[in-house]
Amino acid sequence: MNLIVAKEHFSENVVMLEIEAPRIAKSRRAGHFVIVRVGEKGERIPLTIAGSNLEKGTITLVAQRVGVSSSKLTDLNVGDYVTDVVGPLGQATKIEKQEGAVLCCGGGVGVAPLLPIIQAHKAAGNRVISVLAARTKDLIILEDEVRKSSDEVIIMTDDGSYGEKGVVTVGMEKAMESEKISEAVVIGPPIMMKFASLCTKKYNVPTVVSLNTVMVDGTGMCGACRVTVGGKTKFVCVDGPEFDAHQVDFDEMLKRMGGYKTQEVEAFERYKASK
């Protein structure tokens, strides 16, 4: 059982939770994730660790309400307990000193797992250009924290309500055309990562994406999170979550992630009706 010590609403459906997990806080690195469970019969939810506080022994998670399990998590309040928090899991981000700038691109709640990577690249002495993208101004999260560790920040909104009007690739191209980019890191919705990866491929910029597929056990045994990377089967929970974006079969991944869509919608409707 892990105690929730702080909660903040970024928007109606996006919540930040600070949870007591001293061992995870001590050992986690940028790119690591945890699997959380609410209730003894709850489903397991993979969430990348957005931050930690060693003095308090806490980790920070950002969750978006999209279905039953995520709703149960985001409905919890300070003083409540998360049944299980298991981690840190996955492979940590490889951080190296780069000759050119590192382009860090986050879409929606993808900015949360991107933040520790931005911080790690800045600590390594890299020039960091961050692109934050969302549908509208209210969905841009963690802007102040990103600015603290970025040399330049480009904000894109679909409706033009904040920053520049356009999708994430517009901001990415602006950066890639203005200076040398040695590496790009992209985290967000799968369809966004697909097109962002096509964009960087056009500019021959090596790119890493962090995948958040369906997971069950988080140890590589169940195979639910499998993806095809470079023509080979990989398991996101143990081989990832980060992969070479230009080698990921996004179309296959998108198809697999939509395999339970009907059941998920039906379950969510039943959950809302029971409230």
Side-chain angles (χ1 to χ4, degrees):
M1 302 285 281
N2 299 78
L3 179 68
I4 297 174
V5 299
K7 179 180 182 180
E8 179 182 349
H9 281 270
F10 286 151
S11 65
E12 182 181 358
N13 293 315
V14 179
V15 171
M16 181 175 71
L17 299 171
E18 186 178 358
I19 301 172
E20 284 189 347
R23 291 184 178 179
I24 298 175
K26 184 177 180 180
S27 56
R28 74 96 192 181
R29 292 166 58 196
H32 280 146
F33 69 96
V34 294
I35 286 185
V36 303
R37 189 165 62 102
V38 180
E40 293 298 331
K41 297 182 179 180
E43 293 180 325
R44 296 171 174 86
I45 311 171
L47 293 171
T48 306
I49 303 168
S52 63
N53 186 314
L54 290 178
E55 291 183 2
K56 296 168 65 178
T58 61
I59 60 171
T60 300
L61 304 176
V62 175
Q64 181 176 18
R65 180 194 304 268
V66 293
V68 176
S69 298
S70 55
S71 294
K72 289 180 178 179
L73 178 63
T74 55
D75 283 343
L76 295 176
N77 293 304
V78 174
D80 290 335
Y81 287 87
V82 180
T83 309
D84 291 319
V85 180
V86 178
L89 300 172
Q91 302 295 320
T93 305
K94 294 180 180 178
I95 305 293
E96 299 176 344
K97 185 70 174 69
Q98 304 285 355
E99 291 184 6
V102 178
L103 182 61
C104 296
C105 311
V109 294
V111 176
L114 185 68
L115 177 59
I117 297 174
I118 292 172
Q119 293 168 334
H121 273 295
K122 188 61 179 174
N126 290 323
R127 172 170 165 78
V128 178
I129 302 174
S130 298
V131 181
L132 309 185
R135 294 194 307 274
T136 187
K137 178 181 179 179
D138 293 340
L139 299 179
I140 296 289
I141 67 171
L142 297 168
E143 179 186 349
D144 291 343
E145 290 81 357
V146 168
R147 287 190 181 278
K148 290 176 183 177
S149 297
S150 302
D151 295 279
E152 182 182 349
V153 176
I154 300 170
I155 294 180
M156 306 297 305
T157 51
D158 292 356
D159 61 4
S161 58
Y162 191 46
E164 301 179 40
K165 184 174 182 178
V167 295
V168 67
T169 51
V170 175
M172 293 173 64
E173 288 196 298
K174 178 181 178 181
M176 289 186 288
E177 289 175 355
S178 65
E179 63 182 280
K180 174 179 172 57
I181 303 296
S182 292
E183 180 184 53
V185 182
V186 181
I187 307 179
I191 193 67
M192 169 242 173
M193 291 191 288
K194 173 185 175 179
F195 284 101
S197 299
L198 291 173
C199 180
T200 58
K201 189 173 184 178
K202 184 171 64 174
Y203 288 84
N204 295 314
V205 174
T207 304
V208 173
V209 287
S210 180
L211 306 183
N212 189 3
T213 53
V214 175
M215 289 189 193
V216 179
D217 67 289
T219 63
M221 292 191 294
C222 73
C225 67
R226 67 185 182 274
V227 291
T228 299
V229 182
K232 298 180 180 180
T233 297
K234 299 290 183 178
F235 298 102
V236 174
C237 64
V238 291
D239 298 319
E242 296 176 5
F243 296 97
D244 180 343
H246 301 154
Q247 297 295 315
V248 174
D249 187 336
F250 281 104
D251 292 333
E252 179 193 63
M253 187 183 82
L254 285 162
K255 191 173 182 180
R256 281 182 52 79
M257 291 183 71
Y260 298 99
K261 193 66 178 178
T262 300
Q263 292 89 338
E264 289 171 352
V265 171
E266 291 175 351
F268 192 35
E269 290 301 319
R270 291 194 298 270
Y271 176 75
K272 290 191 294 183
S274 68
K275 299 282 287 180

